Amino acid sequence: GLEAPKYAETLHLPFGLKGYFDYDQALRVAKAADKPLFIDFTGHGCTNCRNVENAVWIDPRVQERFKNELILSALYVDDKIVVLDEEDQILDNEPITKLGKKNYFISNTKYSVNSQPTYLIVDHDGSVLAGPIAYELNVDNYLKFLDEGIAAFKKKHNKE
């Protein structure tokens, strides 16, 4: 089986969905599972994030993709509680020791994103396959985005 998500005693995804909370672990697991990685830049205090989850993630077709076609990660940019294990820390002049700060740094520097929610589907090297999309309450549009990312991954990895 896949490695257990770190920091899951503090953080969780809605609707009992399984996923990861550290970017590096999520990429590693996606590679091991041979699936694309779904990234959700989210926040505890993000009302719009909850709105999308309650309008779109609740849909069984979305959940089917989440469970079968993707590895999920929820990257909380505003988390002030979780302290990273040493191997998960990254450097920005000095070590970033808090999970929220690391996620914020990754969203800003790697993906030029600074609003939540932002959703991306990425390959095992972190390169973008689909997205970013933001506040999207239309399930069909959301499914189109998910399917685009899944198809791009399969094409790139010769899985058609």
Side-chain angles (χ1 to χ4, degrees):
L2 301 173
E3 46 183 284
K6 291 183 175 188
Y7 317 117
E9 63 286 344
T10 315
L11 301 168
H12 66 280
L13 284 146
F15 312 120
L17 289 161
K18 299 273 175 273
Y20 294 83
F21 306 102
D22 177 75
Y23 177 75
D24 297 302
Q25 183 185 29
L27 278 177
R28 191 167 65 236
V29 169
K31 189 173 184 176
D34 200 22
K35 290 178 179 177
L37 176 64
F38 172 90
I39 296 177
D40 168 20
F41 286 113
T42 188
H44 297 293
C46 172
T47 309
N48 281 346
C49 300
R50 305 296 88 80
N51 292 346
V52 173
E53 290 158 13
N54 291 323
V56 175
W57 289 24
I58 204 161
D59 189 285
R61 293 167 298 169
V62 172
Q63 292 198 20
E64 188 275 325
R65 303 260 200 311
F66 281 172
K67 285 176 182 142
N68 299 322
E69 305 278 354
L70 299 154
I71 294 295
L72 298 193
S73 65
L75 303 181
Y76 284 88
V77 299
D78 62 352
D79 189 82
K80 296 181 172 50
I81 293 165
V82 175
V83 178
L84 293 163
D85 296 342
E86 205 162 326
E87 71 265 21
D88 297 329
Q89 295 177 13
I90 57 170
L91 281 172
D92 174 28
N93 300 323
E94 53 194 51
I96 293 179
T97 59
K98 290 277 182 80
L99 179 73
K101 206 159 200 170
K102 175 179 174 175
N103 290 334
Y104 183 76
F105 179 81
I106 290 166
S107 77
N108 264 312
T109 55
K110 191 164 176 67
Y111 298 107
S112 307
V113 162
N114 54 15
S115 62
Q116 298 78 50
T118 298
Y119 307 105
L120 296 146
I121 295 172
V122 306
D123 209 339
H124 303 150
D125 58 358
S127 62
V128 177
L129 296 166
I133 65 163
Y135 191 57
E136 177 57 75
L137 296 180
N138 179 299
V139 176
D140 289 326
N141 291 346
Y142 207 91
L143 286 168
K144 203 176 292 174
F145 151 69
L146 295 178
D147 288 341
E148 184 191 320
I150 293 161
F153 177 84
K154 285 181 174 163
K155 192 174 171 192
K156 215 167 142 180
H157 294 263
N158 297 317
K159 291 180 184 302
E160 290 308 14

